[in-house]
Amino acid sequence: MKDISELRFPDTVHYATDHEWAKREADQAIVGISDYAQDQLGDVVYVELPKVGARFEKGDVFGTVESVKAVSELFSPLSGEVVAVNTTLENTPDLVNSDPYGEGWMMRIRCSQPAQFEEMMTSDAYLAMLKG
């Protein structure tokens, strides 16, 4: 595992306490896991994502990530309907490790409660949480 100072926490996304991130684009948000989360998991070998059209409430499990160390559930940081998933992860799950905020994104969700996005943490608040 890397030292926390070596991890990236872009301020263009917001963070959930369960280590997912969301980037808002109009009434939708792109969702993935943070650099901290992928680092803690180690090498990701499989990602189970939801089907397009699935609906989730904030905090619902939307999938799993399997790494060489463990299997972890993924929690939706926002309520809404899945409008796209990153099918590239089926064959190249390691994109979650190499580019967690870019090519390693997991789902795009149409937010049913856009105010929830504002309840998520900024990069500074997320980093403060990680440092305890």
Side-chain angles (χ1 to χ4, degrees), residues 27-83:
D27 68 335
Q28 299 181 4
I30 300 170
V31 174
I33 63 170
S34 73
D35 201 13
Y36 174 81
Q38 70 79 23
D39 186 62
Q40 294 291 307
L41 286 166
D43 294 334
V44 173
V45 296
Y46 180 74
V47 180
E48 179 183 13
L49 297 174
K51 295 191 181 308
V52 172
R55 293 180 180 273
F56 297 101
E57 295 298 318
K58 179 181 173 181
D60 286 353
V61 174
F62 73 86
T64 58
V65 173
E66 183 176 340
S67 71
V68 293
K69 293 181 179 177
V71 176
S72 297
E73 294 181 322
L74 299 165
F75 299 96
S76 183
L78 303 162
S79 299
E81 177 183 357
V82 177
V83 295

Side-chain angles (χ1 to χ4, degrees), residues 87-130:
T87 56
T88 304
L89 296 179
E90 293 173 7
N91 295 323
T92 51
D94 57 313
L95 289 173
V96 174
N97 293 117
S98 63
D99 192 11
Y101 302 107
E103 296 298 314
W105 69 278
M106 295 180 172
M107 71 173 176
R108 177 182 288 269
I109 189 167
R110 179 175 296 114
C111 305
S112 61
Q113 299 179 45
Q116 290 176 338
F117 187 79
E118 302 307 322
E119 297 169 2
M120 295 180 72
M121 292 181 275
T122 64
S123 59
D124 288 341
Y126 182 64
L127 186 56
M129 181 192 83
L130 294 176

